[in-house]
Amino acid sequence: MKTLATLEPLMNRLLEIRRIQSAASVLSWDQETYMPAGGGAARAEQIATLEGLAHEKLVSREVETLLTGWVDPATGQAPEGWDEPSRSLLRETWRDFSRAKKLPSAFVVRLSRECSLAQQAWVTAREESRFSKFLPSLKTIIGLKREEAQYLGYRDSPYDALLDTYEPGATIAHLAPMFRELRERLVPLLKKVQGSGVTIDDSCVHQRFDQAKQMEFGRLVLVAMGYDFERGRLDLSAHPFTTSFHPTDVRVTTRVFETDLPSCLFSCIHEGGHGLYDQGLDPRYYGSPLGESLSLGFHESQSRLWENCVGRSRAFWRCFYPILQHTFPEQLATVPLDRFYAAINRVAPSCIRVEADELTYNLHIMLRVDIEQALIENRIQPDDLPELWNDTMQSYLGIVPQRDADGVLQDVHWSMGAFGYFPTYTLGNLYSVQFFEQADLELPQLEEDIAAGRLIPLRRWLEQKIHRWGRMFTPDHLARRVTGNGVNPEPFLRYLETKYGELYQL
Ligand code: ZN
């Protein structure tokens, strides 16, 4: 039986590539947190240079020779006679290599440059709320993404080639019926909530809250979750994110608004969930696919599990609400737990995805997935987007944005060329409930533990079941290993129906 020891020459190459990528990640983190605004143009070049170098090294003759000595290029698999970690490492490295190799380097450079320009155009268009200013760039990007899909190859839809970048193995043919099922139950549930006659007053979480104290409370929750500050940091950025340079250096960011308590709080918990995943990867495998997170859907499942299944649960606040009240006595001392719990779970359709509640969030995603799939398949024209966007908002959420800035221009994804990214948000939501339900089955004390502020058993469970495996298994395989099922909307729908049924007395 051949083991990872045989693969050392390849792993050394991969390690070198990963170190270059990690250096680029440090530069990106700095760009989003501390870099002075004037540094932007030079920084973009610095990052592009490192990324170009990493790409070059990955598609090099040397890596190709090593890989083809071990992998059957026709199947992308290693032949019999290797142990499981080695087979996984070879399968996943081959996947990365062959995808990178299919894209001509001139194309990679062109795409990268056009995306930088498109992002700048998008920022201006959004500021002025004028879609026409973004339209020419958007057309260019869509053309390039269609071209990319042709290079990568696909069976049914060119959209699958792009989706596969973020969620290996996912296809729109598999996702579309599942998303339809979700929509067919979410839209009526939303109507029932709106017709329930129950109104939730969330003014208690929109008083004035000292920003430093909000940050302090966010840190306290992160520590309770087991986020290790010896191997991490919490900083401020315009859009919260998590980045990892190594399992020993995983950073999260948040944002803080004086009159919006949930914003800082839940972005800390959300990014903390991402951070725990990255801190839980096996450092021995740093550099190889076995030391990398599995997919964006899996990553998002970790953040949403902590943010929603834990952070928006009654059990969690049984322990943490008295601490929060103690932190903000003036604002919260007379607000009972029930009122606070309702306030952080209030359902209110809004135009902005990142502000959406648990119930309406996925409707925002479906709208985007419908549109981007149709764009890539050339079934609709970019010129018609604002109208299409508003019509779909009306039918899914019953509201229409007043301005394009709050509608079709709100997300950065398309300007970055990230077509196929959106479905992973919904996948993450579905997986989050599946994993949490499984944890609940396997950890009989889970609810009492959470209610007592003991969050470490859950973190350990996630680490053992998901984090430490890296890309050892495919997403579908790991989901089945953990829960016995592939991705499934049923647990998520049941969870929402129960939670909001109770809250809105349906
Ligand atoms: Zn996230």
Side-chain angles (χ1 to χ4, degrees), residues 469-490:
W469 295 107
R471 290 165 64 188
M472 181 83 87
F473 310 105
T474 63
D476 184 60
H477 186 172
L478 185 57
R480 287 176 196 280
R481 243 181 94 100
V482 176
T483 68
N485 279 305
V487 65
N488 176 8
E490 195 53 40

mmCIF file with all atom_site columns, all heavy atoms in Angstrom, residues 469-490:
data_model
loop_
_atom_site.group_PDB
_atom_site.id
_atom_site.type_symbol
_atom_site.label_atom_id
_atom_site.label_alt_id
_atom_site.label_comp_id
_atom_site.label_asym_id
_atom_site.label_entity_id
_atom_site.label_seq_id
_atom_site.pdbx_PDB_ins_code
_atom_site.Cartn_x
_atom_site.Cartn_y
_atom_site.Cartn_z
_atom_site.occupancy
_atom_site.B_iso_or_equiv
_atom_site.pdbx_formal_charge
_atom_site.auth_seq_id
_atom_site.auth_comp_id
_atom_site.auth_asym_id
_atom_site.auth_atom_id
_atom_site.pdbx_PDB_model_num
ATOM 1   N N   . TRP A 1 469 ? -11.255 16.859 8.276  1.00 0.00 ? 469 TRP A N   1
ATOM 2   C CA  . TRP A 1 469 ? -11.128 16.040 7.071  1.00 0.00 ? 469 TRP A CA  1
ATOM 3   C C   . TRP A 1 469 ? -10.671 16.817 5.849  1.00 0.00 ? 469 TRP A C   1
ATOM 4   O O   . TRP A 1 469 ? -10.293 16.208 4.845  1.00 0.00 ? 469 TRP A O   1
ATOM 5   C CB  . TRP A 1 469 ? -12.458 15.333 6.771  1.00 0.00 ? 469 TRP A CB  1
ATOM 6   C CG  . TRP A 1 469 ? -12.811 14.354 7.842  1.00 0.00 ? 469 TRP A CG  1
ATOM 7   C CD1 . TRP A 1 469 ? -13.780 14.475 8.783  1.00 0.00 ? 469 TRP A CD1 1
ATOM 8   C CD2 . TRP A 1 469 ? -12.147 13.101 8.100  1.00 0.00 ? 469 TRP A CD2 1
ATOM 9   N NE1 . TRP A 1 469 ? -13.778 13.389 9.614  1.00 0.00 ? 469 TRP A NE1 1
ATOM 10  C CE2 . TRP A 1 469 ? -12.788 12.532 9.216  1.00 0.00 ? 469 TRP A CE2 1
ATOM 11  C CE3 . TRP A 1 469 ? -11.085 12.423 7.512  1.00 0.00 ? 469 TRP A CE3 1
ATOM 12  C CZ2 . TRP A 1 469 ? -12.398 11.302 9.759  1.00 0.00 ? 469 TRP A CZ2 1
ATOM 13  C CZ3 . TRP A 1 469 ? -10.699 11.205 8.037  1.00 0.00 ? 469 TRP A CZ3 1
ATOM 14  C CH2 . TRP A 1 469 ? -11.350 10.661 9.149  1.00 0.00 ? 469 TRP A CH2 1
ATOM 15  N N   . GLY A 1 470 ? -10.722 18.144 5.890  1.00 0.00 ? 470 GLY A N   1
ATOM 16  C CA  . GLY A 1 470 ? -10.310 18.908 4.717  1.00 0.00 ? 470 GLY A CA  1
ATOM 17  C C   . GLY A 1 470 ? -11.088 18.435 3.494  1.00 0.00 ? 470 GLY A C   1
ATOM 18  O O   . GLY A 1 470 ? -12.305 18.258 3.557  1.00 0.00 ? 470 GLY A O   1
ATOM 19  N N   . ARG A 1 471 ? -10.364 18.160 2.411  1.00 0.00 ? 471 ARG A N   1
ATOM 20  C CA  . ARG A 1 471 ? -11.025 17.705 1.180  1.00 0.00 ? 471 ARG A CA  1
ATOM 21  C C   . ARG A 1 471 ? -10.855 16.193 0.975  1.00 0.00 ? 471 ARG A C   1
ATOM 22  O O   . ARG A 1 471 ? -10.820 15.715 -0.159 1.00 0.00 ? 471 ARG A O   1
ATOM 23  C CB  . ARG A 1 471 ? -10.462 18.476 -0.018 1.00 0.00 ? 471 ARG A CB  1
ATOM 24  C CG  . ARG A 1 471 ? -10.885 19.941 -0.031 1.00 0.00 ? 471 ARG A CG  1
ATOM 25  C CD  . ARG A 1 471 ? -10.053 20.788 -0.990 1.00 0.00 ? 471 ARG A CD  1
ATOM 26  N NE  . ARG A 1 471 ? -10.203 20.408 -2.387 1.00 0.00 ? 471 ARG A NE  1
ATOM 27  C CZ  . ARG A 1 471 ? -9.465  20.904 -3.374 1.00 0.00 ? 471 ARG A CZ  1
ATOM 28  N NH1 . ARG A 1 471 ? -8.539  21.815 -3.097 1.00 0.00 ? 471 ARG A NH1 1
ATOM 29  N NH2 . ARG A 1 471 ? -9.648  20.513 -4.615 1.00 0.00 ? 471 ARG A NH2 1
ATOM 30  N N   . MET A 1 472 ? -10.738 15.469 2.086  1.00 0.00 ? 472 MET A N   1
ATOM 31  C CA  . MET A 1 472 ? -10.575 14.014 2.003  1.00 0.00 ? 472 MET A CA  1
ATOM 32  C C   . MET A 1 472 ? -11.725 13.364 1.226  1.00 0.00 ? 472 MET A C   1
ATOM 33  O O   . MET A 1 472 ? -11.540 12.446 0.442  1.00 0.00 ? 472 MET A O   1
ATOM 34  C CB  . MET A 1 472 ? -10.519 13.437 3.411  1.00 0.00 ? 472 MET A CB  1
ATOM 35  C CG  . MET A 1 472 ? -10.335 11.929 3.449  1.00 0.00 ? 472 MET A CG  1
ATOM 36  S SD  . MET A 1 472 ? -8.621  11.439 3.281  1.00 0.00 ? 472 MET A SD  1
ATOM 37  C CE  . MET A 1 472 ? -8.135  11.534 4.990  1.00 0.00 ? 472 MET A CE  1
ATOM 38  N N   . PHE A 1 473 ? -12.956 13.841 1.481  1.00 0.00 ? 473 PHE A N   1
ATOM 39  C CA  . PHE A 1 473 ? -14.136 13.290 0.807  1.00 0.00 ? 473 PHE A CA  1
ATOM 40  C C   . PHE A 1 473 ? -14.740 14.376 -0.085 1.00 0.00 ? 473 PHE A C   1
ATOM 41  O O   . PHE A 1 473 ? -14.466 15.553 0.104  1.00 0.00 ? 473 PHE A O   1
ATOM 42  C CB  . PHE A 1 473 ? -15.183 12.853 1.839  1.00 0.00 ? 473 PHE A CB  1
ATOM 43  C CG  . PHE A 1 473 ? -14.608 11.986 2.927  1.00 0.00 ? 473 PHE A CG  1
ATOM 44  C CD1 . PHE A 1 473 ? -14.389 12.499 4.197  1.00 0.00 ? 473 PHE A CD1 1
ATOM 45  C CD2 . PHE A 1 473 ? -14.251 10.668 2.661  1.00 0.00 ? 473 PHE A CD2 1
ATOM 46  C CE1 . PHE A 1 473 ? -13.838 11.706 5.194  1.00 0.00 ? 473 PHE A CE1 1
ATOM 47  C CE2 . PHE A 1 473 ? -13.700 9.875  3.658  1.00 0.00 ? 473 PHE A CE2 1
ATOM 48  C CZ  . PHE A 1 473 ? -13.484 10.393 4.927  1.00 0.00 ? 473 PHE A CZ  1
ATOM 49  N N   . THR A 1 474 ? -15.606 13.973 -1.008 1.00 0.00 ? 474 THR A N   1
ATOM 50  C CA  . THR A 1 474 ? -16.336 14.994 -1.773 1.00 0.00 ? 474 THR A CA  1
ATOM 51  C C   . THR A 1 474 ? -17.431 15.566 -0.864 1.00 0.00 ? 474 THR A C   1
ATOM 52  O O   . THR A 1 474 ? -17.781 14.953 0.145  1.00 0.00 ? 474 THR A O   1
ATOM 53  C CB  . THR A 1 474 ? -17.000 14.368 -3.015 1.00 0.00 ? 474 THR A CB  1
ATOM 54  O OG1 . THR A 1 474 ? -17.962 13.410 -2.547 1.00 0.00 ? 474 THR A OG1 1
ATOM 55  C CG2 . THR A 1 474 ? -15.993 13.690 -3.930 1.00 0.00 ? 474 THR A CG2 1
ATOM 56  N N   . PRO A 1 475 ? -17.995 16.755 -1.212 1.00 0.00 ? 475 PRO A N   1
ATOM 57  C CA  . PRO A 1 475 ? -19.039 17.327 -0.348 1.00 0.00 ? 475 PRO A CA  1
ATOM 58  C C   . PRO A 1 475 ? -20.202 16.357 -0.114 1.00 0.00 ? 475 PRO A C   1
ATOM 59  O O   . PRO A 1 475 ? -20.653 16.193 1.023  1.00 0.00 ? 475 PRO A O   1
ATOM 60  C CB  . PRO A 1 475 ? -19.493 18.574 -1.117 1.00 0.00 ? 475 PRO A CB  1
ATOM 61  C CG  . PRO A 1 475 ? -18.297 18.972 -1.912 1.00 0.00 ? 475 PRO A CG  1
ATOM 62  C CD  . PRO A 1 475 ? -17.619 17.682 -2.302 1.00 0.00 ? 475 PRO A CD  1
ATOM 63  N N   . ASP A 1 476 ? -20.672 15.717 -1.176 1.00 0.00 ? 476 ASP A N   1
ATOM 64  C CA  . ASP A 1 476 ? -21.800 14.797 -1.016 1.00 0.00 ? 476 ASP A CA  1
ATOM 65  C C   . ASP A 1 476 ? -21.429 13.617 -0.115 1.00 0.00 ? 476 ASP A C   1
ATOM 66  O O   . ASP A 1 476 ? -22.200 13.218 0.758  1.00 0.00 ? 476 ASP A O   1
ATOM 67  C CB  . ASP A 1 476 ? -22.249 14.302 -2.398 1.00 0.00 ? 476 ASP A CB  1
ATOM 68  C CG  . ASP A 1 476 ? -23.483 13.416 -2.303 1.00 0.00 ? 476 ASP A CG  1
ATOM 69  O OD1 . ASP A 1 476 ? -24.510 13.917 -1.816 1.00 0.00 ? 476 ASP A OD1 1
ATOM 70  O OD2 . ASP A 1 476 ? -23.406 12.226 -2.673 1.00 0.00 ? 476 ASP A OD2 1
ATOM 71  N N   . HIS A 1 477 ? -20.224 13.112 -0.314 1.00 0.00 ? 477 HIS A N   1
ATOM 72  C CA  . HIS A 1 477 ? -19.765 11.973 0.491  1.00 0.00 ? 477 HIS A CA  1
ATOM 73  C C   . HIS A 1 477 ? -19.677 12.351 1.976  1.00 0.00 ? 477 HIS A C   1
ATOM 74  O O   . HIS A 1 477 ? -20.141 11.613 2.854  1.00 0.00 ? 477 HIS A O   1
ATOM 75  C CB  . HIS A 1 477 ? -18.405 11.515 -0.053 1.00 0.00 ? 477 HIS A CB  1
ATOM 76  C CG  . HIS A 1 477 ? -17.884 10.254 0.589  1.00 0.00 ? 477 HIS A CG  1
ATOM 77  N ND1 . HIS A 1 477 ? -16.767 9.592  0.144  1.00 0.00 ? 477 HIS A ND1 1
ATOM 78  C CD2 . HIS A 1 477 ? -18.311 9.550  1.665  1.00 0.00 ? 477 HIS A CD2 1
ATOM 79  C CE1 . HIS A 1 477 ? -16.544 8.529  0.902  1.00 0.00 ? 477 HIS A CE1 1
ATOM 80  N NE2 . HIS A 1 477 ? -17.466 8.478  1.828  1.00 0.00 ? 477 HIS A NE2 1
ATOM 81  N N   . LEU A 1 478 ? -19.102 13.520 2.249  1.00 0.00 ? 478 LEU A N   1
ATOM 82  C CA  . LEU A 1 478 ? -18.952 13.907 3.659  1.00 0.00 ? 478 LEU A CA  1
ATOM 83  C C   . LEU A 1 478 ? -20.319 14.172 4.302  1.00 0.00 ? 478 LEU A C   1
ATOM 84  O O   . LEU A 1 478 ? -20.561 13.765 5.447  1.00 0.00 ? 478 LEU A O   1
ATOM 85  C CB  . LEU A 1 478 ? -18.042 15.136 3.806  1.00 0.00 ? 478 LEU A CB  1
ATOM 86  C CG  . LEU A 1 478 ? -17.727 15.523 5.265  1.00 0.00 ? 478 LEU A CG  1
ATOM 87  C CD1 . LEU A 1 478 ? -17.090 14.371 6.041  1.00 0.00 ? 478 LEU A CD1 1
ATOM 88  C CD2 . LEU A 1 478 ? -16.816 16.749 5.343  1.00 0.00 ? 478 LEU A CD2 1
ATOM 89  N N   . ALA A 1 479 ? -21.228 14.806 3.545  1.00 0.00 ? 479 ALA A N   1
ATOM 90  C CA  . ALA A 1 479 ? -22.577 15.041 4.098  1.00 0.00 ? 479 ALA A CA  1
ATOM 91  C C   . ALA A 1 479 ? -23.230 13.712 4.469  1.00 0.00 ? 479 ALA A C   1
ATOM 92  O O   . ALA A 1 479 ? -23.857 13.588 5.522  1.00 0.00 ? 479 ALA A O   1
ATOM 93  C CB  . ALA A 1 479 ? -23.437 15.796 3.082  1.00 0.00 ? 479 ALA A CB  1
ATOM 94  N N   . ARG A 1 480 ? -23.055 12.705 3.613  1.00 0.00 ? 480 ARG A N   1
ATOM 95  C CA  . ARG A 1 480 ? -23.641 11.385 3.894  1.00 0.00 ? 480 ARG A CA  1
ATOM 96  C C   . ARG A 1 480 ? -22.953 10.708 5.071  1.00 0.00 ? 480 ARG A C   1
ATOM 97  O O   . ARG A 1 480 ? -23.573 10.030 5.877  1.00 0.00 ? 480 ARG A O   1
ATOM 98  C CB  . ARG A 1 480 ? -23.573 10.482 2.651  1.00 0.00 ? 480 ARG A CB  1
ATOM 99  C CG  . ARG A 1 480 ? -24.558 10.899 1.602  1.00 0.00 ? 480 ARG A CG  1
ATOM 100 C CD  . ARG A 1 480 ? -24.459 10.090 0.303  1.00 0.00 ? 480 ARG A CD  1
ATOM 101 N NE  . ARG A 1 480 ? -25.174 10.797 -0.738 1.00 0.00 ? 480 ARG A NE  1
ATOM 102 C CZ  . ARG A 1 480 ? -26.498 10.758 -0.885 1.00 0.00 ? 480 ARG A CZ  1
ATOM 103 N NH1 . ARG A 1 480 ? -27.229 10.008 -0.098 1.00 0.00 ? 480 ARG A NH1 1
ATOM 104 N NH2 . ARG A 1 480 ? -27.091 11.466 -1.836 1.00 0.00 ? 480 ARG A NH2 1
ATOM 105 N N   . ARG A 1 481 ? -21.629 10.876 5.145  1.00 0.00 ? 481 ARG A N   1
ATOM 106 C CA  . ARG A 1 481 ? -20.897 10.305 6.279  1.00 0.00 ? 481 ARG A CA  1
ATOM 107 C C   . ARG A 1 481 ? -21.376 10.891 7.604  1.00 0.00 ? 481 ARG A C   1
ATOM 108 O O   . ARG A 1 481 ? -21.498 10.195 8.601  1.00 0.00 ? 481 ARG A O   1
ATOM 109 C CB  . ARG A 1 481 ? -19.412 10.669 6.119  1.00 0.00 ? 481 ARG A CB  1
ATOM 110 C CG  . ARG A 1 481 ? -18.459 9.523  5.947  1.00 0.00 ? 481 ARG A CG  1
ATOM 111 C CD  . ARG A 1 481 ? -17.067 10.097 5.846  1.00 0.00 ? 481 ARG A CD  1
ATOM 112 N NE  . ARG A 1 481 ? -16.445 10.108 7.164  1.00 0.00 ? 481 ARG A NE  1
ATOM 113 C CZ  . ARG A 1 481 ? -15.576 9.208  7.588  1.00 0.00 ? 481 ARG A CZ  1
ATOM 114 N NH1 . ARG A 1 481 ? -15.179 8.244  6.791  1.00 0.00 ? 481 ARG A NH1 1
ATOM 115 N NH2 . ARG A 1 481 ? -15.067 9.285  8.797  1.00 0.00 ? 481 ARG A NH2 1
ATOM 116 N N   . VAL A 1 482 ? -21.650 12.209 7.585  1.00 0.00 ? 482 VAL A N   1
ATOM 117 C CA  . VAL A 1 482 ? -22.016 12.884 8.833  1.00 0.00 ? 482 VAL A CA  1
ATOM 118 C C   . VAL A 1 482 ? -23.483 12.648 9.183  1.00 0.00 ? 482 VAL A C   1
ATOM 119 O O   . VAL A 1 482 ? -23.818 12.371 10.329 1.00 0.00 ? 482 VAL A O   1
ATOM 120 C CB  . VAL A 1 482 ? -21.733 14.405 8.731  1.00 0.00 ? 482 VAL A CB  1
ATOM 121 C CG1 . VAL A 1 482 ? -22.196 15.135 9.993  1.00 0.00 ? 482 VAL A CG1 1
ATOM 122 C CG2 . VAL A 1 482 ? -20.244 14.661 8.518  1.00 0.00 ? 482 VAL A CG2 1
ATOM 123 N N   . THR A 1 483 ? -24.367 12.757 8.182  1.00 0.00 ? 483 THR A N   1
ATOM 124 C CA  . THR A 1 483 ? -25.810 12.758 8.495  1.00 0.00 ? 483 THR A CA  1
ATOM 125 C C   . THR A 1 483 ? -26.560 11.558 7.933  1.00 0.00 ? 483 THR A C   1
ATOM 126 O O   . THR A 1 483 ? -27.743 11.378 8.256  1.00 0.00 ? 483 THR A O   1
ATOM 127 C CB  . THR A 1 483 ? -26.501 14.010 7.897  1.00 0.00 ? 483 THR A CB  1
ATOM 128 O OG1 . THR A 1 483 ? -26.492 13.898 6.463  1.00 0.00 ? 483 THR A OG1 1
ATOM 129 C CG2 . THR A 1 483 ? -25.791 15.289 8.284  1.00 0.00 ? 483 THR A CG2 1
ATOM 130 N N   . GLY A 1 484 ? -25.918 10.771 7.059  1.00 0.00 ? 484 GLY A N   1
ATOM 131 C CA  . GLY A 1 484 ? -26.622 9.665  6.411  1.00 0.00 ? 484 GLY A CA  1
ATOM 132 C C   . GLY A 1 484 ? -27.362 10.098 5.152  1.00 0.00 ? 484 GLY A C   1
ATOM 133 O O   . GLY A 1 484 ? -27.921 9.275  4.444  1.00 0.00 ? 484 GLY A O   1
ATOM 134 N N   . ASN A 1 485 ? -27.355 11.406 4.866  1.00 0.00 ? 485 ASN A N   1
ATOM 135 C CA  . ASN A 1 485 ? -28.062 11.931 3.688  1.00 0.00 ? 485 ASN A CA  1
ATOM 136 C C   . ASN A 1 485 ? -27.224 12.948 2.940  1.00 0.00 ? 485 ASN A C   1
ATOM 137 O O   . ASN A 1 485 ? -26.377 13.601 3.541  1.00 0.00 ? 485 ASN A O   1
ATOM 138 C CB  . ASN A 1 485 ? -29.334 12.664 4.124  1.00 0.00 ? 485 ASN A CB  1
ATOM 139 C CG  . ASN A 1 485 ? -30.464 11.703 4.403  1.00 0.00 ? 485 ASN A CG  1
ATOM 140 O OD1 . ASN A 1 485 ? -30.834 10.895 3.548  1.00 0.00 ? 485 ASN A OD1 1
ATOM 141 N ND2 . ASN A 1 485 ? -30.992 11.778 5.609  1.00 0.00 ? 485 ASN A ND2 1
ATOM 142 N N   . GLY A 1 486 ? -27.554 13.113 1.666  1.00 0.00 ? 486 GLY A N   1
ATOM 143 C CA  . GLY A 1 486 ? -26.989 14.231 0.916  1.00 0.00 ? 486 GLY A CA  1
ATOM 144 C C   . GLY A 1 486 ? -27.746 15.495 1.317  1.00 0.00 ? 486 GLY A C   1
ATOM 145 O O   . GLY A 1 486 ? -28.559 15.475 2.247  1.00 0.00 ? 486 GLY A O   1
ATOM 146 N N   . VAL A 1 487 ? -27.478 16.581 0.590  1.00 0.00 ? 487 VAL A N   1
ATOM 147 C CA  . VAL A 1 487 ? -28.149 17.831 0.949  1.00 0.00 ? 487 VAL A CA  1
ATOM 148 C C   . VAL A 1 487 ? -29.657 17.653 0.787  1.00 0.00 ? 487 VAL A C   1
ATOM 149 O O   . VAL A 1 487 ? -30.126 17.037 -0.159 1.00 0.00 ? 487 VAL A O   1
ATOM 150 C CB  . VAL A 1 487 ? -27.598 19.013 0.119  1.00 0.00 ? 487 VAL A CB  1
ATOM 151 C CG1 . VAL A 1 487 ? -27.903 18.859 -1.366 1.00 0.00 ? 487 VAL A CG1 1
ATOM 152 C CG2 . VAL A 1 487 ? -28.119 20.329 0.646  1.00 0.00 ? 487 VAL A CG2 1
ATOM 153 N N   . ASN A 1 488 ? -30.415 18.216 1.751  1.00 0.00 ? 488 ASN A N   1
ATOM 154 C CA  . ASN A 1 488 ? -31.842 17.941 1.811  1.00 0.00 ? 488 ASN A CA  1
ATOM 155 C C   . ASN A 1 488 ? -32.560 19.152 2.424  1.00 0.00 ? 488 ASN A C   1
ATOM 156 O O   . ASN A 1 488 ? -32.212 19.578 3.533  1.00 0.00 ? 488 ASN A O   1
ATOM 157 C CB  . ASN A 1 488 ? -32.028 16.692 2.696  1.00 0.00 ? 488 ASN A CB  1
ATOM 158 C CG  . ASN A 1 488 ? -33.476 16.335 2.927  1.00 0.00 ? 488 ASN A CG  1
ATOM 159 O OD1 . ASN A 1 488 ? -34.388 16.905 2.323  1.00 0.00 ? 488 ASN A OD1 1
ATOM 160 N ND2 . ASN A 1 488 ? -33.694 15.381 3.822  1.00 0.00 ? 488 ASN A ND2 1
ATOM 161 N N   . PRO A 1 489 ? -33.535 19.722 1.700  1.00 0.00 ? 489 PRO A N   1
ATOM 162 C CA  . PRO A 1 489 ? -34.190 20.936 2.219  1.00 0.00 ? 489 PRO A CA  1
ATOM 163 C C   . PRO A 1 489 ? -35.157 20.674 3.375  1.00 0.00 ? 489 PRO A C   1
ATOM 164 O O   . PRO A 1 489 ? -35.537 21.609 4.089  1.00 0.00 ? 489 PRO A O   1
ATOM 165 C CB  . PRO A 1 489 ? -34.955 21.486 1.007  1.00 0.00 ? 489 PRO A CB  1
ATOM 166 C CG  . PRO A 1 489 ? -35.107 20.344 0.075  1.00 0.00 ? 489 PRO A CG  1
ATOM 167 C CD  . PRO A 1 489 ? -33.999 19.357 0.354  1.00 0.00 ? 489 PRO A CD  1
ATOM 168 N N   . GLU A 1 490 ? -35.556 19.420 3.563  1.00 0.00 ? 490 GLU A N   1
ATOM 169 C CA  . GLU A 1 490 ? -36.617 19.115 4.525  1.00 0.00 ? 490 GLU A CA  1
ATOM 170 C C   . GLU A 1 490 ? -36.294 19.568 5.967  1.00 0.00 ? 490 GLU A C   1
ATOM 171 O O   . GLU A 1 490 ? -37.102 20.256 6.596  1.00 0.00 ? 490 GLU A O   1
ATOM 172 C CB  . GLU A 1 490 ? -36.938 17.617 4.457  1.00 0.00 ? 490 GLU A CB  1
ATOM 173 C CG  . GLU A 1 490 ? -38.233 17.210 5.123  1.00 0.00 ? 490 GLU A CG  1
ATOM 174 C CD  . GLU A 1 490 ? -39.465 17.991 4.668  1.00 0.00 ? 490 GLU A CD  1
ATOM 175 O OE1 . GLU A 1 490 ? -39.567 18.270 3.455  1.00 0.00 ? 490 GLU A OE1 1
ATOM 176 O OE2 . GLU A 1 490 ? -40.294 18.341 5.532  1.00 0.00 ? 490 GLU A OE2 1
#
